[in-house]
Amino acid sequence: MSTSPVSDSSPLEQKDSINPLVFYGSVFVIVLFSLWAMFFTESAGKVIYAVLAWISNSFGWFYFLAVVAYLVFVIAIAFSRYGSIKLGPDHAEPEFNIVTWAAMLFSAGIGIDLIFYCIVEPVTQFTQPPVGEGGSVEAAREAMKLTFLHWGLSGWGIYTLVGMSLAFFSYRHGLPLTIRSALYPIFGKRIHGGIGNTVDIAAVLGTVFGVATSLGIGIIQLNFGLNYMFGIPESTLTQALLAMGIVVFAAISAVTGVEKGIRRLSEFNMLLAVVLVLFVLIAGDTRFLLDAFVMNVGDYIAGFVPMSFDTYAFDPPQKWLNAWTVFFWAWWIAWGPFVGLFLARISRGRTIRAFVAGTLILPLTFMMAWMSIMGNSAIDLVMNGATEFGQQAVGNPGSAIYLFLENFPWTLVTTITVTVLAIVFFVTSGDSGSLVLSNLTCFIRDPSNDAPAWMRIVWATVIGVVTVALLSTDGLEALQSAVVIMGLPFAFVLFLMMIGLFRALKVEGMKAASNRDALAGHLSARTSSPRGHTNWTHRLSRAISFPNRKQVTQFIEEVARPAFSDVRSALSEKGHEAAIEGEDGEREHLSLTVDLGGEEDFSYQLWPRSCAMPSFTIRAQRSRSVYYRLEVHLREGGLGYDVMGYTREQLIEDVVDHFESHLQYLHLRRETTGGTGDARGEEGSGEPT
């Protein structure tokens, strides 16, 4: 594994700018494919469907195994000792609360498909099951089991893997928030060349085609709803106007950023979805729906493992497999880069364990409630004589949700509600898609920042144009199939991401072990040296001292800088170069960096942090309401303890403690891997962000 630092020409050393190879390469392929699908629809369809059939028939088993492997991997990592590692520096805190975070990950992860398939799939599986007779009680149970399988843990395991990998490498190790970064432990600096560009271009294509396909499917459904409610004709012109309108709103939302536009729309949409599903529960046969929900959950849990491996080997319903299970697994994989990158973007500061638990449990819980209540209600209607509704739901999927709501009171209100829900889901898919595409096609130094607003507008427009073009030429089905085809190469990329993440996490484990192994030396130094003991009155005074910013600055100049100079001089005598750097003003800090040649450099930093004055202090009664701590930061982030008030000797001892731990870590790494350097080859700033 290559572990040496990247060159000075890496994207991380450049200003924020467009990545010309990825941007123009992606646009070229998108235009070329779209023109092919638009003007040579029949021939393009034959080629695409032939490739799709070959992949489905030849690699169906692989999709089954791969999806299970991804899920097992992320769960194993969450339960392992690596689960406590943060997706970001050790001092980082989550940017969004749990409710907002859940709303955003759900809106981006499923979007309009939630409305489209909640009626269509249960009814289709009930009336046309892969095995056995349709329309029976057993078929009803199997229909909901299959629906849960296709929308449950398996798919979200893919999103979790991608999101966890990207967040780890970007926010903890400072690599760009792109797919290529997750492959650094395998390919090293080559990710900044052809390999990385190819992977990112493929991710861009999958995102554009995936979002465009979902928008196209949803627009057809929305057009039916507007015709149903207001008599607006179902036509290409109407669909084009709807697409452009949605793109405009998506661009506006994307420009306002994650913190405002995307966040607020996601929260609103989740609230509206909860209101709608509760209405169906209360207005329908409540007791039956609750009984069915409990039964469905039990059936899913009990049958999860058998269903996950059921390839129907002896009598495979190949057409059904290609249209449903294999299609869904390939679809989830193809969407993995898009949704995973967005999940990474909103998950900085969470631990790996919290991230995995959240991305698996929260969407699953809502999905089971939504699919069970809506799906069982629809199946119950068909079983009780609404055969025409069942036929229309299967034959014209875009009409399913609207025809379903005809069977409940306040039809006009509920159809308007579902229409608004669909529109907002469109916008959340479009704005998150344009945000992800912008970040994928730009060099961005700080992974916490996003690409320029104009770039997001450009990609929102591209998505809209592709959607309209393919709707106007019946190329949408070909595009949908193309997305599934792209799922195969990405399935292999995901395995590489698993390997890369595991290697990097092993390095993190070595760092923790080095701190533990070096503890005996730290304690020995404290007990053997008289200088390691300070007068207890001095310790007490430091404990109840609450310095201001001026005092912290004075400490840095009079104590910390001389201490760092002493360490630098001692290291210089031993043949090791060390540098002392710092800034004043808002970003005031002091750092000591030791050059260890080809291995990972040592960095010890002091950063002031403003804190609220404790209520028990006399000073709190005055105008000054804050005091300052001087906290230690290493490459992994802040350690959370305060050295303000240390003597010069104490501070030196603390630096040496961490230097010993670092050397122990390098030793463990050499013994284990035989390599040098760190897992991603970049110097982390260690600064609090």
Side-chain angles (χ1 to χ4, degrees), residues 304-317:
F304 178 76
V305 173
M307 287 192 299
S308 297
F309 291 96
D310 192 358
T311 59
Y312 303 91
F314 289 104
D315 187 20

Side-chain angles (χ1 to χ4, degrees), residues 16 18 23 208 211 246-263 341-342 345 427 429-442 444 446 448-464:
D16 291 355
I18 188 174
F23 179 78
V208 171
V211 174
I246 289 166
V247 166
V248 169
F249 284 111
I252 294 172
S253 176
V255 168
T256 58
V258 176
E259 296 79 7
K260 296 179 181 179
I262 299 176
R263 171 181 184 172
L341 195 150
F342 183 75
R345 173 62 182 84
V427 175
S429 295
D431 59 14
S432 55
S434 61
L435 180 71
V436 166
L437 289 166
S438 302
N439 291 349
L440 278 171
T441 52
C442 286
I444 303 175
D446 187 352
S448 300
N449 296 334
D450 296 315
W454 67 266
M455 179 65 81
R456 290 173 248 171
I457 295 173
V458 167
W459 279 114
T461 304
V462 169
I463 292 172

Side-chain angles (χ1 to χ4, degrees), residues 19 80 216 226 309 326 364 384 409 438 486 533 535 608 652:
N19 184 336
S80 73
L226 294 175
F309 291 96
V326 174
L364 177 69
N384 285 286
S438 302
M486 293 185 65
H533 294 284
N535 188 283
I652 291 173

Side-chain angles (χ1 to χ4, degrees), residues 625-639:
S625 60
V626 300
Y627 75 101
Y628 287 84
R629 292 163 54 89
L630 191 59
E631 297 187 350
V632 176
H633 286 249
L634 304 179
R635 287 175 49 125
E636 296 75 35
L639 301 185

Side-chain angles (χ1 to χ4, degrees), residues 128-372:
Q128 303 173 7
V131 293
E133 183 181 353
S136 63
V137 173
E138 184 60 30
R141 295 187 68 168
E142 287 297 318
M144 293 310 304
K145 286 171 63 176
L146 290 170
T147 301
F148 274 34
L149 176 69
H150 294 155
W151 293 96
L153 284 173
S154 303
W156 282 97
I158 297 168
Y159 292 171
T160 302
L161 171 61
V162 179
M164 179 171 62
S165 298
L166 297 185
F168 177 83
F169 286 106
S170 297
Y171 295 132
R172 194 162 180 90
H173 295 295
L175 288 172
L177 190 57
T178 58
I179 303 300
R180 72 177 71 196
S181 296
L183 305 181
Y184 189 91
I186 298 174
F187 298 108
K189 292 183 289 184
R190 286 178 290 172
I191 67 166
H192 300 304
I195 294 175
N197 291 330
T198 302
V199 171
D200 283 349
I201 289 174
V204 170
L205 298 179
T207 300
V208 171
F209 293 158
V211 174
T213 302
S214 285
L215 289 180
I217 293 172
I219 285 171
I220 294 173
Q221 183 182 46
L222 182 60
N223 195 176
F224 178 90
L226 294 175
N227 176 264
Y228 176 82
M229 291 185 294
F230 308 113
I232 297 175
E234 295 184 75
S235 65
T236 301
L237 177 61
T238 303
Q239 293 168 5
L241 292 174
L242 287 172
M244 289 295 99
I246 289 166
V247 166
V248 169
F249 284 111
I252 294 172
S253 176
V255 168
T256 58
V258 176
E259 296 79 7
K260 296 179 181 179
I262 299 176
R263 171 181 184 172
R264 299 306 178 194
L265 284 175
S266 298
E267 291 174 340
F268 171 77
N269 228 34
M270 283 300 298
L271 178 62
L272 205 59
V274 170
V275 170
L276 181 62
V277 77
L278 288 177
F279 170 78
V280 173
L281 174 64
I282 296 170
D285 189 342
T286 306
R287 186 192 64 79
F288 161 72
L289 292 175
L290 292 175
D291 285 343
F293 172 70
V294 174
M295 180 182 68
N296 295 154
V297 172
D299 287 345
Y300 176 64
I301 295 173
F304 178 76
V305 173
M307 287 192 299
S308 297
F309 291 96
D310 192 358
T311 59
Y312 303 91
F314 289 104
D315 187 20
Q318 202 61 55
K319 185 177 180 180
W320 180 90
L321 280 171
N322 294 348
W324 291 101
T325 306
V326 174
F327 165 78
F328 270 106
W329 293 165
W331 183 268
W332 283 97
I333 292 171
W335 266 58
F338 157 46
V339 180
L341 195 150
F342 183 75
L343 294 186
R345 173 62 182 84
I346 64 175
S347 301
R348 183 181 184 272
R350 301 189 183 276
T351 65
I352 288 178
R353 187 171 294 114
F355 177 81
V356 173
T359 52
L360 292 183
I361 296 174
L362 293 177
L364 177 69
T365 302
F366 186 84
M367 181 282 303
M368 290 193 297
W370 176 272
M371 289 294 188
S372 180

